[in-house]
Amino acid sequence: MRKNCLLLRIGELALKGKNKRDFEHQLMDNIKNKCKNMTGISVLKTEGRIFVEFDDQDLLDPVIEELKTVFGLVGFAPALRIPSDVEMLEETALELVRQQVPEVKTFKVASKRVDKRFPVRSQELNHRLGGYLLQHYPGLKVDVHQPDLIVHVEIRGKHSYVYGNDIPGIGGLPVGSSGRVLLLLSGGIDSPVAGYLALKRGVELQAIHFHSYPYTSERAKQKVLDLAKQLTTYGNHIRIHVVPFTEIQTEINKHCFESYSITVMRRIMLRIAERIAQSQNALALVTGESLGQVASQTLESMNTINEVTHMPILRPVIGMDKHDIMEISRRIGTYETSILPYEDCCTVFLPKAPKTKPDLHVAKKQEAKLDLERLIDEAVIGTEVIEISNEKEREFSYF
């Protein structure tokens, strides 16, 4: 009996040694979650392979679209599961080629005999299937180096699988396999890209946003929620912590040197982010900083700003040019939202000449002018938490 399925390739997961099983289970859970609204879908694992099986051929394209956004997959291919019989293999390989001519001009057969009890060796099977295909399509040519189509055959005990060329996946590690992090999410281009790249390395992503109403509008806040929503395409759900930052920025503007206002602001942001990260059992902070891009992203500024926290800070775009970041932003669908003209708190009260090489002692003296503990406590207590998924948004109180 034939069965429609998708054969998945897992890339670097295959190198995880004794932990491989945990990564595979996380990947399977993520795929099941992606396809939970489709009926008749099964995610199965055999030795060295993961399959998605489905009864209805109409589900093929929807499942493929979902798999294109699943980290941990380097590729996948529509396949047919059939009994391990040579004549069935011939007929199924012929059907695969028939679906792709006349576009396909060259091919090769690549057999893998996982079950060594199968009586025909791999090389012999390659020749037999290749000859069978040439009999029916004499216009085709065999090209073992760069064929238009690779006819893959895997013999796996009772069942065998026949499939063609891979559809590329997005690689990385399964989301949820690398711990939890907190992303400092602004309304700009860089931080959503940093969040995407962090997700690609398998983290569970939460986000924090600093909102300075009325200096930043409700549209600015909604813009950030929309960016988080777009990231759920890859991470399924994101909890975003919206911190009231108006009083803190007003106090900085009133009491601190203008040239140090960005430095002091970023130091306070990290303190608040660390508090919220610890409350959520997050193991690191993630930022969209790119070295040298703005005043707060020089090495001197980062050194002064980082001094307030011992928590690891991950910077996925640190070595990228703006052009590189923008290209990723366009590819993942966040660019058009990021360029909407609604200011975030990092652009209000922007000093004319921000300090690019701030002195740590001066920064501390400026902070000493503020009632720092009260301001931070009130900001954390006033934080609004919004749960965002592909399906819905849900708000609840922080405390």
Side-chain angles (χ1 to χ4, degrees):
M1 180 178 177
R2 303 196 327 171
K3 183 79 171 179
N4 294 306
C5 65
L6 281 154
L7 182 147
L8 313 183
R9 297 193 186 279
I10 58 176
E12 67 178 288
L13 267 64
L15 306 176
K16 292 301 179 182
K18 294 180 180 179
N19 295 321
K20 178 183 174 183
R21 182 177 298 178
D22 294 335
F23 284 90
E24 289 177 336
H25 286 166
Q26 183 67 62
L27 175 60
M28 292 173 66
D29 287 344
N30 293 348
I31 294 170
K32 290 174 184 176
N33 193 61
K34 281 280 187 179
C35 300
K36 64 183 178 183
N37 293 325
M38 303 180 194
T39 57
I41 298 289
S42 301
V43 183
L44 307 172
K45 179 180 176 296
T46 64
E47 184 179 354
R49 282 284 181 261
I50 297 176
F51 300 92
V52 179
E53 294 188 347
F54 45 93
D55 298 320
D56 187 350
Q57 181 65 17
D58 290 340
L59 290 174
L60 176 62
D61 289 339
V63 174
I64 286 175
E65 288 307 305
E66 294 294 346
L67 292 182
K68 286 179 179 178
T69 63
V70 176
F71 285 120
L73 297 177
V74 296
F76 42 90
L80 279 172
R81 190 188 76 186
I82 59 175
S84 293
D85 172 79
V86 174
E87 291 184 358
M88 285 286 291
L89 290 171
E90 290 175 338
E91 293 173 10
T92 307
L94 182 62
E95 180 180 339
L96 175 65
V97 171
R98 185 182 295 123
Q99 293 170 353
Q100 303 199 44
V101 293
E103 289 80 7
V104 166
K105 306 296 183 185
T106 61
F107 77 98
K108 78 171 183 179
V109 179
S111 300
K112 184 176 182 181
R113 193 172 58 124
V114 179
D115 182 1
K116 303 303 181 185
R117 296 171 298 177
F118 190 73
V120 184
R121 292 180 178 273
S122 297
Q123 197 63 31
E124 182 184 347
L125 188 60
N126 289 343
H127 291 305
R128 179 162 177 172
L129 294 179
Y132 186 82
L133 295 174
L134 290 172
Q135 287 176 16
H136 289 78
Y137 289 97
L140 287 178
K141 293 184 178 180
V142 174
D143 183 344
V144 297
H145 299 295
Q146 290 184 310
D148 297 333
L149 172 66
I150 301 176
V151 179
H152 293 276
V153 176
E154 292 191 10
I155 312 297
R156 293 182 170 272
K158 181 180 177 181
H159 296 111
S160 295
Y161 298 84
V162 178
Y163 58 98
N165 296 336
D166 266 359
I167 299 168
I170 54 176
L173 298 175
V175 171
S177 63
S178 298
R180 182 178 297 161
V181 300
L182 183 67
L183 168 70
L184 277 70
L185 181 62
S186 71
I189 295 171
D190 301 344
S191 58
V193 172
Y196 166 84
L197 293 174
L199 285 167
K200 188 172 184 177
R201 299 313 302 163
V203 302
E204 177 193 336
L205 192 69
Q206 293 194 20
I208 183 170
H209 176 67
F210 297 89
H211 184 51
S212 293
Y213 184 82
Y215 300 112
T216 55
S217 67
E218 286 300 313
R219 286 186 176 183
K221 175 184 171 183
Q222 186 58 50
K223 173 183 173 180
V224 171
L225 297 181
D226 291 342
L227 288 170
K229 181 85 168 180
Q230 287 161 340
L231 288 176
T232 63
T233 300
Y234 306 93
N236 190 45
H237 69 275
I238 293 176
R239 177 175 291 182
I240 182 165
H241 308 263
V242 182
V243 179
F245 208 59
T246 307
E247 185 179 4
I248 290 173
Q249 284 202 282
T250 302
E251 289 295 294
I252 292 172
N253 189 54
K254 186 187 301 183
H255 297 293
C256 299
F257 290 162
E258 183 185 25
S259 61
Y260 271 79
S261 61
I262 294 294
T263 304
V264 173
M265 180 188 75
R266 297 288 294 181
R267 282 167 61 89
I268 296 174
M269 283 181 172
L270 283 190
R271 288 185 175 99
I272 294 172
E274 181 182 61
R275 289 263 295 268
I276 290 179
Q278 290 172 343
S279 74
Q280 299 298 302
N281 297 317
L283 300 176
L285 304 177
V286 178
T287 75
E289 292 167 300
S290 174
L291 188 61
Q293 190 176 120
V294 296
S296 65
Q297 295 175 19
T298 64
L299 281 178
E300 292 85 357
S301 285
M302 289 183 190
N303 189 54
T304 298
I305 293 166
N306 289 7
E307 188 267 343
V308 301
T309 179
H310 296 293
M311 182 166 279
I313 300 177
L314 310 181
R315 298 180 172 89
V317 302
I318 191 70
M320 292 186 184
D321 296 335
K322 192 70 175 183
H323 173 78
D324 300 329
I325 300 171
M326 289 168 63
E327 283 301 304
I328 297 175
S329 178
R330 289 189 179 97
R331 191 173 77 240
I332 65 175
T334 57
Y335 179 78
E336 294 300 327
T337 303
S338 291
I339 62 173
L340 292 174
Y342 307 127
E343 289 189 316
D344 59 35
C345 70
C346 293
T347 55
V348 299
F349 299 129
L350 194 64
K352 295 178 181 178
K355 204 74 173 175
T356 59
K357 297 182 180 180
D359 183 273
L360 176 59
H361 300 295
V362 176
K364 287 183 174 181
K365 285 183 179 179
Q366 296 306 301
E367 286 179 347
K369 300 175 182 179
L370 308 174
D371 188 357
L372 209 55
E373 289 304 314
R374 178 187 66 81
L375 290 170
I376 291 173
D377 286 344
E378 291 179 357
V380 171
I381 292 171
T383 294
E384 174 189 16
V385 182
I386 304 172
E387 197 85 34
I388 299 177
S389 71
N390 277 324
E391 300 173 354
K392 62 183 179 180
E393 258 177 45
R394 183 167 65 90
E395 298 187 18
F396 54 92
S397 300
Y398 193 68
F399 288 106

